[in-house]
Amino acid sequence: MNNSKANLSRRKFIKGAGASSVAAVMGTSFSANAMENNPKSVYEEIYGDDVNSIYTKKGTSPGPKGPIGFEDRKISNSEIAKSYDFDVAVVGGGIAGLIAALKAAEDGAKVVLLEKMTKGRGIFECFGSVDSRTQREANIKTNKAELLDEIHRSADYRIGPDVVRTYVEKSGEATDFMEKMFNKGERGVVISPMPLKPKYPNTGAPVIDAECMFYNTPGLPKNVKFRSGFVGVQIIKDLANTAMKHPNIETKYSTPAVQLVTNGSGQVTGVIAKENNEYIKVNTNKGVILASGGYDANPEMMKAFLRPEDYSSASWWNPSWGTTGDGHMMGLKVGAAMDPVPHSVMNFTFGSPESFHIPAVRTLRAMGLYAIVNDEGKRFVREDVAFQSISNATNRQATQGKKSWLLFDDTMISKNKDIFDKAIASFETLKAKGWLFEGNSPRELEAALDVPNGNLVNTIEKFNSFKLKGVDADFNRDMEFAKEFNGKKYYALLCNSVILATVSGLIIDENGRVLNEKGEAIKGLYAAGNASGDFFSGNYPRHIPGTSIGRAITFGYLSAKHAVKGA
Amino acid sequence: MLFSSKSKYSLLLASFLIMSSNVALAASSATEIDSMHQGFDTAQQCMECHGSYQENAENTAHLGKWNPHDSIHGGYVDCTNCHQQNKVEKNYCSYCHDYKPALKN
C-alpha cells in the first residue's frame, strides 16, 4: 500500500467518514449493498407481498464478502451506454458457465460469457458422472436406480424427480462433451474413473461407483493428490482459455450481470451488465443461462436463507468470492421459483477455525481413525459418517458454546515416515495457534485440554473397549475401521465445520429451464450449477459421488443444448 | 473468528487503545493515523482515498501470484475481508497457504 499512500487526499479525511461517491473511484463498480438504509431486506422484498417470516435466533455470518452484482431497481434505457446482440448470454465463468458457453458455441450460437470477477471459480479434482466414455471403457456398471434412490433419500424426498433423473441419465453425455473440450485445450487434461473406497465413509448408504477424476492429467505436481483445489484451478484455466479462443464466444471478465431483461409476456430477452463502469444491455434471442454459483460470499443472503447454526460457527474454504447469489436474485426478480428455505449448505468436517486443516495434517490416516469429543471430553457423533453429518453434529455442539476435537494418537498418523514427519512438523504451527494439544497419556492430554477430570480418560477407555468388542454401544460406529488408542503420544486437534458452497437455487426442469411458481418454464431463462435447485435438501450429501460438480457440468451442457436447439 | 486464540489479546489491545485515546492528541503518528481512519468501515469509504480495486491491485503487482489484491482465484473483493480501517486484521491467503510473497512463483 506504500505507493498508494502518496495518492491519498487529506481533504477526504477532513470531510469525515461517511462521504461516499462510489462510482467515481471504482473501475468496475458494483452496487452498493441494497440493504443499507432500507428497513426491509432485499432478500425479503424479492418475494413481493407473498412472504412469510420464520423466526430463528440471530446468527452472525463471519465469512468473506464478495462484490454483489445484482441490482434491485429499475434501470432506465437512458442509463444504458451500449447494447450488444448475442444468441446466448451465460452469467458466470465457473465450471457450469464454461461448459454452457462452449456447448452453445459448438452448436453454432453466438455466445457472450459474463464473469463478474477477474477469473471464474475453480473446481475440484473429481466430479460425479454416469456412463461416460472413460467409465464405459473401464467397464464400470453404475447402479443407476440405487444412485437415484440415494439422491432422493439424502434430500428427504423434498425434491422433484426430473432433475436428478436427468443427471443420472445425461451426465455421461455431458462428461464426454467436456472431454472433447479438454482435447481442444492446451493443458492435456485427462478424465479417468475415480477408484472407489469401499465402505468409507461408512454411512450405511450403498457405495456407488459414479465418479471421475482429473488426477491422471500429466504434469500435475506430485503432491497434488491432497490439493483438490489446485487441480480445479487448472481445469478452469484450460476451459476458460479454450472459450476465449473460440470464434463463437466473446468473454467479458470483470463484468457483473445486474438484472435480467424481460418483454411484455415475461420472456427473458436479455441481461443488463456493468462493463468498464457503464451499464450495457445484452439482447439474447435464444436464452440467458444463470451459472453464477451459490451465495457463500454474501453474508446477508446467508442469513436470509440458511439455518443460523449452519454458518454461525463455521469457517469458509472457497477462495473465489464472486458467489454472492446474483443469479438467484435476478431469477427471483422475474418470477422464478426457488428451493424452499432453509437452503442447503455444503459443509465438510476437518475444518480449522480459518479454513481447512493444512495439507500436512490432511494426510493423517487419523482422518479415518480419530474419535471426536467436545470440550467435556465426551463423544457426540459416530465418527465414520459422511462429512456433512459430522459437520452438523459439530455445529450442534457449537450452539452451546462447545468446541469439537479430533482425538488421535501417534499410531494413527501415518505408516509412511516422510508423511509422519511432515505432520509432526506441522503440529508446531497448530500448537502455536491453540488448535492442537498433546500429552504423553490420555490423562496428560485431558489436563492440557482442560477437560473435566476423568472424562477424556474414560472416553478413551470406553472407545478401546468398543474396539475390543467390535460394537460401538453409544453411536454404532463400524469398529472394523476404528483403531484402539495405544500410542506414546495423544493429540486433540480443533475441528470446525467448514463451508464450501451453498447448493440450493432456482427450480429448473430437465432441460435446465427455470420454472415459475406454477411450474411453467420462464421462456429464455436457464440455470445450472449452484444457482439451480431441486437437487438437494438439508445438506449437500458428501457421501454420494460428486453430485455438485456433476450437476454443474450436466446442466451447463443441457441448458446450452436446449437454448440453441430446443428439446 | 469464534475460536480465535487472539481474543484475549484483542481485549487487551482494545483497552489499551481506549486508555491511549485519553492521552490528549498523542504525538505518536500511528495513533494519528488510527484516528484519521475512525468511522471508515466500508470498502466504498476505503476507495475514496485509496483508489479503486484495480489501482490497489496494480500497487501490489510486484507480489506476483501472491498479490492479495489480484488473487489467482479471481478478484476483486471487499476490502473489509482483510482490512479493518488502517490495520490488516486477517490475511485470508494464509488461511490455506504459507503466505510467502517473497517467493514470486
Side-chain angles (χ1 to χ4, degrees), chain B residues 76-87:
Chain B
Y76 302 100
V77 297
D78 201 290
C79 313
T80 60
N81 287 307
C82 299
H83 298 274
Q84 192 174 3
Q85 296 178 359
N86 51 316
K87 305 268 195 304

Side-chain angles (χ1 to χ4, degrees), chain A residues 1 3-4 7-10 12-13 15-22 25-28 30 32 62-65 67 116-120 233 254 313-315 317 319-321 353-356 403 433 494 496, chain B residues 1-5 32-33 36-42 44-45 47-56 58-60 62 69-78 80-83 90 92 94-97:
Chain A
M1 297 294 287
N3 304 0
S4 64
N7 306 331
L8 298 187
S9 139
R10 295 184 65 87
K12 289 281 172 32
F13 281 115
K15 263 166 71 178
S20 74
S21 50
V22 181
V25 293
M26 295 168 86
T28 299
F30 299 98
K65 272 166 79 175
K116 176 171 62 174
M117 310 297 270
T118 55
K119 292 177 177 65
V233 169
S254 302
S313 56
S315 49
W317 194 7
S320 309
W321 298 338
E354 289 176 349
S355 72
F356 207 66
K403 299 197 259 302
K433 291 188 174 200
L494 190 58
N496 232 66
Chain B
M1 275 330 253
L2 192 71
F3 301 135
S4 168
S5 54
E32 192 190 334
I33 288 179
M36 276 166 95
H37 284 84
Q38 285 291 306
F40 286 83
D41 297 315
T42 66
Q44 283 78 18
Q45 290 172 318
M47 289 187 287
E48 287 270 307
C49 302
H50 292 271
S52 68
Y53 288 121
Q54 285 90 330
E55 285 167 3
N56 282 285
E58 284 156 25
N59 286 334
T60 49
H62 60 282
H69 301 119
D70 186 12
S71 157
I72 62 158
H73 302 290
Y76 302 100
V77 297
D78 201 290
T80 60
N81 287 307
C82 299
H83 298 274
K90 297 175 185 173
Y92 260 102
S94 73
Y95 285 9
C96 301
H97 303 277

